[in-house]
Amino acid sequence: MLALFISATGVSAVFGQKLRIKALGDTLTGFKVGVFDGDRQLLNNDAEFSLLMANTDLSEQTLMTGWTGKQWKGNDSTITLIRESYIPEFDLNLSVQVTYKVINAHVIKKTIRLYQPGMPQLYYMLKERFVPVQKPKQYVSFEHGNFPGGFAHEMFPSVGYVDYRNTLVGFLTDAGYKNQYTRTTRRRLNGRGGGFVGMRKLPDPELFSTASAAEQAEGKDYLQMTFGELYNLNAGKETLLKLSDSWKKEGDLELKKEGSLITMDCKASGRSGIELIAPLKDQRVYTISFLCKGTAPLALKLFRMKNGKKTVELENGLKYIDNFQVKERDWTLFKGSIMLPYIEKDSVALFIGNQGNKICRLQLKDLQIVEHEPAREPYNVLAMGEASEKTSYIFAEPWKGHREFMISSQIRLSEGMGFRGSQLEKVLYGNFKMLTWINGLNDFKPFNVPNMNYSPDMYNRDSFFSIVACYSKELNLGIWDQWASTQTPKGAIGTIITPYMGSVEAKDNEATIEWLIWAMLNKRRFNALLPEDKIKKAIEYVRNEFDSGKDGICRSHFSMSQVDIVDYQPKTDRLAVNQGMLAIALRTIKELGYPVDEAYIQKAEEEYRKFYDPKRKHLLFDRQYPDVISLTDLEPEFYSLWLFNRPLLTDEMVINHLEQMPVLNRSNKAPHPQYGTTAPICVRLTKDKKGYAYLSAAYQPFAEFGAANYADGKNDGFYYNGGSWLRAEYCAYVAGLKHGWTKATKLMENRAWAELNLNPDWPFSKEFIPTKWTTTKSWWPSTKGLCWNIFILMANEVAGLRTPDMDPDFNPSISFTTK
């Protein structure tokens, strides 16, 4: 079965290359390391790095350029360069080691180690430049097959070049929590308003870059990583840009302009406001600001314009600003930065108005956009007596195209980190690592976000599925402890942690239960000492909040699954997944050492089984909507098999439930073309020939949200109206496998294939795959790169396809036990 899985997910080795390293230089000029493909030199760096150092008030700074080793040691697989330096500006001794290690025929790991024993804290910025021996034929980045140059702030940090022998040389970085960087470019708006706004201090904007077009024209070619740099928009130079007077009205409104004052009297149309082409260009930083007041919330949008047509909303700064709160009589200042990456020279359309379908008046004045030449400051910290490391990876292989570069970037990163697994597992692991960085400028704790669309927020449930899938003690204990700090006086664990702003969201969903499961796993895996007071409070919260009647029946305001788009007033006991999660919670509490009567647990388990309808032959997602079926209703069953090695449901229940699920998106290229490749997470079963239907106005379990989004058929097959979510679907198939379902292996292989191949332009993890679409152009760009899919590593362990030692962080000596 393992062989089948690996074959189905397309693991392949690329031959014809053998990377090697060699020390170059002498004791007079210093030593550096050359990278070779066989006997052909690929890289001949001018130096190993440059280092800007500053004290913590930035009153003293010094730049160390052209670092080379004074001596070296090693062999043809590992070379270490060493130099001790005295820094007179700080009266400080600095020790540096640079180590190159050949990981395999295609991957080299480079680690820079800094150490200083004489200064409480030293700020630093490190630039690592890689210089091709010959002029590249083209540069590539993760999102662009022909990257023109400049900084690349994209969904996955990876750049490379192709030489005239058609060899691809790529460059990757270790995770941000190890290399001390964050990819955050925005924060939440103040108060309860929706959306994100760009920050005044932008960390690591040029984490990856290549020589600019102008530099290339001058014969300068390089690829560069920059660690520990921030753009300070409150310092540096600003240029006020001239805005066009060619405002375009959108929707039904009356527009009046008097000097800098713009008045919009909006009618009750779906979207009404003004739009203009903003003077924004690629790879620059701007701030937009204005004063506003009115009788309805304000919407502010930035869209890319290609060939005169509006495409996607911009990501790096202003985002989802639909309800900026304004006052009727007093002016409110809006001010936010925009870091514009390479967008293929597209134009940018700016919309300001109202999207609430309301009669309202909005007024603006002093609208302006400034372009920044920001002050560049170091912010990484080298503490006294504590080494700091920066790790990068170099890989090389024949150039086969941009899609293969995207796949290789993720796979080679995983290989460089020592991870073993199938092609999909490596892709998911690489993506997970690139979405785990530091909290912010003054907080170097590890931080995990779902994907770039959700940045900068860390969601409890997403990070739970992501982090427990790996065996890193640092991540599991560190991020679990951050969630412990969100505990409310009632004992609930928060839903979200968002840098630079607060959050008061803690509710009766499954977050607190998953935090307790995580505590149990940390105790099993690492023999962790748990904070008894917080554990007790969480247990009391779970037992009181979900079963105050102590009858073993779960009641809650929210779904205890990812399908969390509706709340229930009053609490409901209609949801199958909630009942199953209560049973899992009670057994977890018992294993944690707290008294729970076994008969009480079994009563909760029996109530979960009662959600199975023998006539319909599936678990009832919602008893009030008995024709709806969801894969999330098997999640408690998977939890029980994974955590306790015991089933809650019978073979008949699980197999019949899975047999009722339509499996869609058939492809002749899939491992098993007789089956579909994706199943909807939630769908309505019907008695007609088709057998299923997406949700509609007439049959709608999602209340106002469903009526607004799933009533007219426009979102059929998308999100929770039939989207295919890898983690939930795959875990359901593994539950079926454990219950003897004969189709399980084939559908697992098909679903794994679909993640990388159904949309050939998106060979990476996704939030969901639509189950109804005519062209991949309709797929949501916001779904790119979701990292909680890494949880299928645990599913594959349950299925017998993986062992823990395939994870590079697995350490059997840390009192590791399994249930």
Side-chain angles (χ1 to χ4, degrees):
M1 186 173 176
L2 178 59
L4 282 172
F5 178 77
I6 292 176
S7 174
T9 50
V11 166
S12 61
V14 181
F15 298 98
Q17 306 277 318
K18 185 173 178 58
L19 291 182
R20 66 184 187 89
I21 52 178
K22 181 180 179 180
L24 306 174
D26 52 46
T27 54
L28 184 63
T29 61
F31 293 100
K32 53 188 179 180
V33 173
V35 174
F36 293 77
D37 169 21
D39 294 328
R40 184 167 68 98
Q41 189 170 351
L42 298 175
L43 295 178
N44 184 19
N45 300 339
D46 301 324
E48 294 299 338
F49 65 87
S50 63
L51 187 69
L52 175 66
M53 295 168 278
N55 54 8
T56 53
D57 69 350
L58 305 182
S59 60
E60 292 287 346
Q61 298 189 27
T62 186
L63 177 64
M64 176 188 287
T65 59
W67 189 95
T68 57
K70 187 173 184 179
Q71 59 191 84
W72 72 276
K73 60 182 180 180
N75 49 44
D76 58 359
S77 62
T78 303
I79 293 175
T80 299
L81 310 177
I82 303 167
R83 183 181 290 272
E84 305 285 334
S85 300
Y86 173 69
I87 313 299
E89 290 83 356
F90 302 116
D91 193 20
L92 183 69
N93 290 320
L94 177 69
S95 301
V96 181
Q97 292 185 2
V98 177
T99 300
Y100 284 75
K101 182 177 181 180
V102 178
I103 301 297
N104 57 36
H106 304 283
V107 182
I108 291 172
K109 178 180 181 180
K110 178 184 177 183
T111 303
I112 300 171
R113 183 182 187 274
L114 309 175
Y115 179 85
Q116 61 90 7
M119 189 171 176
Q121 284 192 331
L122 179 73
Y123 281 156
Y124 72 96
M125 178 202 308
L126 186 147
K127 289 184 182 289
E128 196 173 352
R129 181 170 288 194
F130 300 95
V131 181
V133 169
Q134 295 179 324
K135 186 173 185 62
K137 183 168 68 174
Q138 69 190 80
Y139 287 97
V140 294
S141 66
F142 193 81
E143 295 184 18
H144 300 285
N146 201 340
F147 186 65
F151 71 81
H153 196 283
E154 302 178 352
M155 63 168 288
F156 188 96
S158 172
V159 294
Y161 72 88
V162 183
D163 69 17
Y164 281 90
R165 292 196 181 187
N166 236 33
T167 298
L168 162 70
V169 183
F171 302 88
L172 307 163
T173 174
D174 209 335
Y177 74 95
K178 291 187 174 182
N179 272 359
Q180 300 91 48
Y181 66 79
T182 173
R183 300 174 68 206
T184 292
T185 62
R186 60 197 185 197
R187 64 166 175 82
R188 282 189 175 262
L189 279 168
N190 308 68
R192 303 296 289 174
F196 302 106
V197 64
M199 301 179 299
R200 304 304 299 164
K201 292 187 177 182
L202 292 169
D204 305 297
E206 297 188 29
L207 181 65
F208 273 66
S209 61
T210 72
S212 67
E215 288 174 314
Q216 294 174 49
E218 295 174 0
K220 298 177 183 177
D221 287 283
Y222 63 86
L223 304 97
Q224 186 167 273
M225 300 180 196
T226 303
F227 299 105
E229 178 185 49
L230 69 85
Y231 282 1
N232 186 349
L233 305 191
N234 296 321
K237 297 180 181 178
E238 294 182 357
T239 302
L240 181 63
L241 302 182
K242 180 176 176 56
L243 302 182
S244 170
D245 289 327
S246 301
W247 290 97
K248 174 186 173 184
K249 292 199 299 183
E250 185 167 340
D252 189 2
L253 76 157
E254 293 181 7
L255 177 64
K256 184 186 297 183
K257 190 173 186 301
E258 299 174 296
S260 72
L261 177 66
I262 300 171
T263 301
M264 294 174 278
D265 287 306
C266 303
K267 311 300 182 184
S269 58
R271 186 179 191 182
S272 53
I274 54 176
E275 186 176 273
L276 85 160
I277 300 300
L280 307 181
K281 297 182 179 179
D282 300 67
Q283 299 172 314
R284 300 182 188 183
V285 182
Y286 303 91
T287 290
I288 181 171
S289 63
F290 52 83
L291 293 167
C292 54
K293 65 181 178 179
T295 58
L298 179 141
L300 175 66
K301 300 286 189 180
L302 291 170
F303 293 96
R304 289 175 62 171
M305 298 284 290
K306 184 178 289 292
N307 299 323
K309 294 184 179 180
K310 192 179 299 182
T311 60
V312 297
E313 189 176 353
L314 289 176
E315 295 281 344
N316 296 282
L318 312 182
K319 180 74 171 177
Y320 298 133
I321 299 177
D322 302 306
N323 293 289
F324 181 69
Q325 299 301 308
V326 299
K327 299 176 182 179
E328 185 174 355
R329 294 180 175 83
D330 298 325
W331 292 104
T332 300
L333 173 66
F334 179 92
K335 186 175 184 178
S337 69
I338 308 159
M339 191 192 78
L340 203 60
Y342 175 58
I343 57 170
E344 302 172 306
K345 308 304 179 186
D346 287 355
S347 301
V348 176
L350 165 65
F351 169 83
I352 303 176
N354 178 263
Q355 298 190 132
N357 196 26
K358 294 180 179 180
I359 299 173
C360 65
R361 166 171 280 202
L362 289 172
Q363 290 186 297
L364 312 177
K365 70 175 181 178
D366 300 335
L367 171 65
Q368 64 177 31
I369 299 177
V370 299
E371 181 179 339
H372 293 277
E373 291 182 39
R376 299 167 181 247
E377 300 173 1
Y379 83 90
N380 274 188
V381 175
L382 182 59
M384 184 167 59
E386 298 177 13
S388 182
E389 293 186 347
K390 305 295 184 192
T391 299
S392 54
Y393 300 92
I394 307 162
F395 71 95
E397 59 191 45
W399 170 251
K400 294 185 177 181
H402 186 242
R403 168 184 158 80
E404 286 70 23
F405 171 70
M406 287 191 280
I407 294 173
S408 289
S409 293
Q410 299 166 92
I411 288 177
R412 299 308 183 194
L413 179 65
S414 295
E415 291 175 351
M417 293 176 172
F419 178 86
R420 291 182 290 137
S422 70
Q423 182 191 48
L424 178 61
E425 288 173 334
K426 288 178 180 178
V427 165
L428 296 178
Y429 188 81
N431 176 69
F432 155 63
K433 285 293 186 176
M434 292 301 95
L435 289 166
T436 309
W437 51 62
I438 60 173
N439 202 327
L441 293 174
N442 301 305
D443 187 351
F444 284 17
K445 292 192 294 292
F447 199 78
N448 174 255
V449 301
N451 72 356
M452 292 296 283
N453 180 61
Y454 284 92
S455 177
D457 301 336
M458 177 165 70
Y459 286 84
N460 183 325
R461 295 168 295 170
D462 296 79
S463 62
F464 164 78
F465 284 116
S466 300
I467 306 302
V468 300
C470 77
Y471 288 93
S472 165
K473 182 177 181 180
E474 177 185 5
L475 287 180
N476 276 278
L477 298 188
I479 293 184
W480 181 88
D481 192 56
Q482 288 185 59
W483 286 114
S485 299
T486 71
Q487 190 173 53
T488 69
K490 288 180 63 177
I493 299 299
T495 300
I496 185 174
I497 299 175
T498 181
Y500 307 101
M501 293 298 290
S503 172
V504 296
E505 186 175 320
K507 54 191 182 183
D508 51 329
N509 56 20
E510 75 275 27
T512 305
I513 294 174
E514 288 174 345
W515 183 79
L516 288 171
I517 292 171
W518 201 345
M520 179 180 70
L521 288 172
N522 285 341
K523 190 174 181 181
R524 285 184 190 176
R525 292 173 166 182
F526 313 114
N527 200 24
L529 184 63
L530 303 176
E532 188 174 351
D533 59 333
K534 289 183 178 290
I535 297 292
K536 282 183 177 180
K537 285 178 67 175
I539 289 171
E540 288 304 307
Y541 173 81
V542 168
R543 300 191 66 170
N544 292 331
E545 192 69 30
F546 301 125
D547 188 15
S548 58
K550 300 299 182 285
D551 56 3
I553 296 176
C554 184
R555 300 169 180 86
S556 177
H557 292 110
F558 299 95
S559 169
M560 292 192 206
S561 76
Q562 66 180 83
V563 188
D564 57 357
I565 51 180
V566 60
D567 61 353
Y568 300 86
Q569 301 293 342
K571 288 185 177 183
T572 187
D573 61 1
R574 304 189 327 241
L575 307 181
V577 69
N578 285 17
Q579 186 61 42
M581 288 305 295
L582 175 62
I584 295 298
L586 295 176
R587 194 159 295 282
T588 299
I589 291 167
K590 185 173 183 178
E591 181 173 321
L592 285 169
Y594 296 85
V596 186
D597 188 74
E598 180 63 25
Y600 175 41
I601 300 176
Q602 292 185 16
K603 173 65 163 55
E605 293 175 348
E606 180 59 31
E607 291 295 331
Y608 176 45
R609 286 188 285 272
K610 286 181 180 179
F611 275 87
Y612 179 75
D613 185 327
K615 292 183 179 180
R616 288 180 168 83
K617 294 187 176 182
H618 67 84
L619 293 164
L620 300 183
F621 170 77
D622 182 338
R623 283 194 176 115
Q624 189 167 308
Y625 296 88
D627 294 333
V628 175
I629 184 172
S630 175
L631 288 169
T632 59
D633 291 331
L634 290 178
E635 195 160 271
E637 178 68 8
F638 177 83
Y639 272 118
S640 192
L641 294 168
W642 168 47
L643 298 170
F644 307 114
N645 196 28
R646 62 190 302 274
L648 298 179
L649 305 174
T650 67
D651 293 349
E652 177 186 17
M653 293 174 180
V654 173
I655 293 172
N656 283 347
H657 187 93
L658 288 166
E659 286 285 349
Q660 298 295 310
M661 293 297 305
V663 185
L664 310 173
N665 284 331
R666 287 196 179 191
S667 172
N668 291 331
K669 297 179 181 180
H672 306 283
Q674 71 273 31
Y675 297 112
T677 60
T678 61
I681 194 170
C682 183
V683 74
R684 182 188 179 187
L685 297 181
T686 59
K687 295 181 180 180
D688 56 15
K689 183 178 179 180
K690 187 177 181 181
Y692 72 94
Y694 297 107
L695 304 178
S696 65
Y699 201 86
Q700 185 51 255
F702 296 138
E704 292 181 7
F705 182 93
N709 294 278
Y710 300 152
D712 56 8
K714 292 181 179 179
N715 284 321
D716 286 357
F718 281 74
Y719 202 61
Y720 291 136
N721 189 20
S724 170
W725 301 67
L726 172 61
R727 180 191 61 79
E729 186 174 344
Y730 197 88
C731 289
Y733 293 156
V734 170
L737 176 72
K738 300 296 285 186
H739 280 276
W741 191 40
T742 56
K743 294 180 183 177
T745 302
K746 293 181 177 65
L747 290 181
M748 289 161 61
E749 291 173 352
N750 267 14
R751 188 59 183 82
W753 175 90
E755 195 67 17
L756 301 185
N757 297 287
L758 198 59
N759 182 341
D761 296 327
W762 290 7
F764 39 71
S765 174
K766 289 168 280 293
E767 188 174 24
F768 68 87
I769 291 176
T771 57
K772 180 183 177 182
W773 47 280
T774 55
T775 169
T776 55
K777 298 295 184 184
S778 67
W779 291 27
W780 294 0
S782 62
T783 66
K784 294 179 179 181
L786 191 78
C787 73
W788 78 356
N789 288 329
I790 189 64
F791 187 72
I792 74 163
L793 297 184
M794 293 297 99
N796 282 336
E797 285 193 20
V798 174
L801 298 175
R802 283 187 65 81
T803 54
D805 63 304
M806 297 171 76
D807 187 303
D809 291 311
F810 176 74
N811 186 350
S813 66
I814 311 180
S815 302
F816 183 84
T817 60
T818 57
K819 189 70 177 176

